[in-house]
C-alpha cells in the first residue's frame, strides 16, 4: 500500500489517503445528494443537495478518522508504535508495526475505536434533537441524523466478531486470555471472519435475486473484501510469529567475503560478483567494516569507468541502520529491509563482522519451516 497522499499529522500520527478513498468519497457524496437528502428534505435545489452531500461525506470520513485515531492513540499509550493511518476504500487502516503482546492490550485497542464511534453517535444525536427543536434548521437536523445513524452502523459493522474487524480482535483477545494460545485464538477469529464474509456474500446474492441489485452488490463486494482480509491478515500474523522466534544468527550467511575499499570495480565484477554469485559484499578498510557494495551500486557507474573507479567511491557507507546484532529477531531484520528498501543487512557482534542476512536467507528459512511443519 505505497500509493496515497499524505495529509497532515495529529498526535504524532501521519494521516494519509489511499487513492481508492476518492472513489468511495464520490459514491457516498453522490448517493447522499441524489438519494438521502432529497427524500428527507424535499424541495431544495440540486446545488444545495450537492453541497450538503459533500459536507456530510466529509463529516462521515472525519468520524471514520476519529474512530481510527482512537485505536492508534490507545495503541501508542500502551507502548505500540503507530506512525500512520491510511484512509482507504472501506474506512481506515492503522499501520501496526508490532502486534500487541498480551490479550488485555489487544482488547483495549480493539474496543477504543467502537467506543469513539458510540460517543460520536451520542454527540450527533444530541445535535439532531437541538436542530429539530430550534425550528428553521431542517438541513442541519437531516445531516446530524444521518451522522448519528452512520456512526451506529460503523459500530455494528466493526463489532462483527470476525478477524480483522474490531469484533474479531475482541474475540481473539478473549480466546487468547482464556486459553493462553494466541495462534489458536487467531485461527478461531479468522475462521469466524471468513464464515461471516461468506454469509454476507450469500445474503448479497439473495438480495440481488430478489431485485435489490445495488444493496446486494455492495454486500457481495464487502464480503469478498472481508474474506480476503481475514485470510491475508492471518497468514501475515503466522509469518510474523515465525520470524519473531528466529534469531538473525540462525538465518544469516556466515562465510562472508569482504572486499577492500581500494579495489577497482572491474576487479570486483570479475573476481567477486562473477566468482561468488553474491549480490552484495561488505567493504573493509584496515580491518574495519566501512560500507557495503551491491550490484546496484556498480550499475550506477558507467562501464567505461569501472577500471578507474574504486569501491570506496561507489559503495553505500555504513550506517547504524545497516547493522544488526546476531541476537536480533529475523522479524526485525525483515522490517529493516522493507522500511529501507534494501536486500541485505550486515550482522556484527561487538564491532566484529559475523555474517550478512538477506531477504532470501529469511525466505529460505521460512520455506524450510513451513515444509517441515516446525
Ligand atoms: Zn476499528
Amino acid at each position: 500500500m505505497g500509493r496515497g497522499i499524505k495529509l497532515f499529522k495529529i498526535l504524532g500520527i501521519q494521516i494519509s489517503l489511499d487513492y481508492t478513498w476518492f472513489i468511495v468519497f464520490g459514491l457516498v457524496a453522490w448517493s447522499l445528494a441524489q438519494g438521502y437528502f432529497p427524500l428527507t428534505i424535499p424541495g431544495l435545489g440540486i446545488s444545495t443537495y450537492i453541497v450538503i452531500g459533500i459536507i456530510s461525506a466529509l463529516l462521515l470520513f472525519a468520524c471514520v478518522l476519529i474512530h481510527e485515531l482512537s485505536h492508534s492513540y490507545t495503541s501508542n499509550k500502551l507502548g505500540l508504535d503507530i506512525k500512520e493511518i491510511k484512509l482507504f476504500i472501506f474506512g481506515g487502516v492503522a499501520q501496526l508495526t508490532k502486534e500487541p503482546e498480551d490479550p488485555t492490550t489487544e482488547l483495549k485497542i480493539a474496543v477504543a475505536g467502537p467506543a469513539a464511534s458510540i460517543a460520536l453517535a451520542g454527540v450527533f444525536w444530541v445535535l439532531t434533537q437541538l436542530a429539530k427543536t430550534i425550528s428553521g434548521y431542517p438541513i442541519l437536523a437531516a445531516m446530524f441524523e444521518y451522522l448519528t445513524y452512520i456512526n451506529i452502523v460503523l459500530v455494528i459493522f466493526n463489532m462483527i466478531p470476525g478477524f480483522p474487524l474490531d469484533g474479531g480482535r475482541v474475540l481473539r483477545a478473549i480466546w487468547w486470555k482464556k486459553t493462553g494460545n494466541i495462534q489458536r485464538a487467531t485461527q478461531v477469529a479468522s475462521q469466524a471472519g471468513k464464515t461471516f464474509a461468506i454469509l454476507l456474500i450469500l445474503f448479497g446474492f439473495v438480495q440481488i435475486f430478489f431485485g435489490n441489485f445495488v444493496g446486494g452488490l455492495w454486500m457481495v463486494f464487502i464480503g469478498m473484501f472481508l474474506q480476503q482480509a481475514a485470510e491475508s491478515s492471518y497468514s501475515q500474523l503466522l509469518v510474523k510469529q515465525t520470524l519473531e522466534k528466529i534469531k538473525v544468527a540462525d538465518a544469516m550467511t556466515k562465510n562472508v567475503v569482504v572486499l577492500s575499499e581500494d579495489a577497482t570495480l572491474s576487479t570486483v565484477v570479475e573476481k567477486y560478483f562473477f566468482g561468488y554469485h553474491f549480490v552484495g559484499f561488505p567493504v573493509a578498510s584496515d580491518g574495519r567494516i566501512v560500507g557495503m557494495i551491491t550490484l546496484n551500486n556498480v550499475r550506477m557507474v558507467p562501464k567505461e569507468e569501472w577500471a578507474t573507479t574504486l569501491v570506496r567511491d561507489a559503495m553505500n557507507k555504513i550506517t547504524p541502520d545497516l547493522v544488526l546484532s546476531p541476537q536480533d529477531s529475523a522479524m526485525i531484520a525483515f522490517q529493516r529491509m522493507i522500511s529501507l528498501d534494501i536486500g541485505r543487512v550486515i550482522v556484527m557482534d561487538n564491532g566484529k563482522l559475523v555474517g550478512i542476512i538477506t531477504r532470501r536467507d529469511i525466505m529460505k528459512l521460512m520455506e524450510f519451516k513451513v515444509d517441515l511443519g516446525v
Side-chain angles (χ1 to χ4, degrees):
M1 296 232 297
R3 347 160 270 154
I5 300 162
K6 284 187 170 19
L7 286 184
F8 46 81
K9 271 191 173 182
I10 307 177
L11 304 166
I13 301 162
Q14 175 70 51
I15 313 298
S16 310
L17 280 186
D18 188 76
Y19 292 128
T20 54
W21 179 88
F22 289 99
I23 303 169
V24 178
F25 180 79
L27 277 175
V28 170
W30 178 75
S31 70
L32 284 173
Q34 72 97 53
Y36 177 79
F37 286 121
L39 277 175
T40 41
I41 21 170
L44 301 174
I46 180 70
S47 51
T48 314
Y49 287 130
I50 290 173
V51 170
I52 54 179
I54 289 173
I55 293 173
S56 307
L58 281 175
L59 284 170
L60 159 64
F61 281 99
C63 289
V64 171
L65 182 58
I66 290 170
H67 175 112
E68 292 306 323
L69 267 175
S70 179
H71 283 304
S72 306
Y73 181 71
T74 315
S75 305
N76 286 346
K77 276 260 148 161
L78 294 171
L80 291 146
D81 191 23
I82 290 179
K83 292 200 176 76
E84 184 179 14
I85 293 175
K86 189 166 268 179
L87 292 174
F88 79 125
I89 188 157
F90 289 116
V93 174
Q95 311 277 325
L96 262 183
T97 50
K98 266 198 303 187
E99 282 290 319
E101 261 150 37
D102 63 278
T104 317
T105 305
E106 166 101 322
L107 190 65
K108 282 180 186 161
I109 296 171
V111 295
S117 297
I118 290 173
L120 283 169
V123 168
F124 283 116
W125 183 81
V126 171
L127 288 175
T128 310
Q129 303 316 309
L130 283 177
K132 273 184 178 166
T133 48
I134 308 165
S135 55
Y137 295 105
I139 294 179
L140 277 183
M143 264 171 65
F144 292 150
E145 195 153 43
Y146 165 74
L147 288 161
T148 311
Y149 164 75
I150 207 76
N151 274 295
I152 294 170
V153 170
L154 274 178
V155 173
I156 295 172
F157 179 73
N158 276 293
M159 285 312 286
I160 289 161
F163 198 73
L165 295 173
D166 297 336
R169 288 194 170 264
V170 170
L171 174 66
R172 181 168 88 134
I174 292 170
W175 201 285
W176 181 6
K177 200 171 178 116
K178 232 176 62 187
T179 61
N181 186 339
I182 181 183
Q183 265 96 341
R184 183 79 191 116
T186 309
Q187 209 177 9
V188 167
S190 309
Q191 196 50 54
K194 270 186 262 180
T195 308
F196 172 76
I198 288 164
L199 287 177
L200 199 63
I201 293 169
L202 288 177
F203 193 64
F205 278 123
V206 171
Q207 293 276 310
I208 292 171
F209 185 74
F210 284 106
N212 180 7
F213 188 76
V214 176
L217 204 63
W218 264 110
M219 281 182 202
V220 172
F221 192 33
I222 294 173
M224 282 163 64
F225 168 78
L226 270 183
Q227 192 189 11
Q228 211 238 328
E231 243 156 57
S232 67
S233 57
Y234 180 53
S235 54
Q236 258 173 36
L237 209 76
L238 280 186
V239 169
K240 238 176 196 175
Q241 282 163 352
T242 312
L243 288 183
E244 259 157 18
K245 280 186 263 168
I246 302 173
K247 293 238 175 308
V248 164
D250 299 323
M252 68 187 187
T253 305
K254 284 172 194 124
N255 301 319
V256 186
V257 180
V258 179
L259 299 185
S260 155
E261 63 167 355
D262 300 320
T264 63
L265 292 190
S266 347
T267 320
V268 169
V269 170
E270 272 159 40
K271 281 206 177 141
Y272 292 90
F273 284 115
F274 289 154
Y276 292 94
H277 308 284
F278 292 149
V279 186
F281 296 91
V283 179
S285 163
D286 296 329
R288 245 171 14 90
I289 298 298
V290 291
M292 174 127 72
I293 187 151
T294 63
L295 267 185
N296 264 336
N297 295 134
V298 177
R299 214 175 286 143
M300 306 277 238
V301 180
K303 266 197 189 91
E304 313 82 66
E305 293 169 26
W306 285 0
T308 50
T309 308
L310 299 181
V311 168
R312 94 158 62 86
D313 300 317
M315 69 181 189
N316 289 328
K317 291 208 169 50
I318 198 90
T319 57
D321 276 350
L322 292 177
V323 180
L324 283 169
S325 142
Q327 296 310 312
D328 285 329
S329 76
M331 188 64 219
I332 292 180
F334 196 57
Q335 278 169 347
R336 188 75 61 82
M337 292 179 212
I338 301 268
S339 67
L340 296 177
D341 195 23
I342 51 175
R344 63 215 61 244
V345 177
I346 290 173
V347 187
M348 301 232 267
D349 199 8
N350 289 321
K352 244 189 71 200
L353 178 77
V354 291
I356 195 165
I357 184 166
T358 65
R359 285 193 197 201
R360 263 189 70 191
D361 291 333
I362 297 175
M363 291 303 176
K364 267 261 146 60
L365 201 64
M366 278 293 297
E367 247 171 63
F368 289 160
K369 293 239 167 201
V370 170
D371 277 354
L372 298 170
V374 290

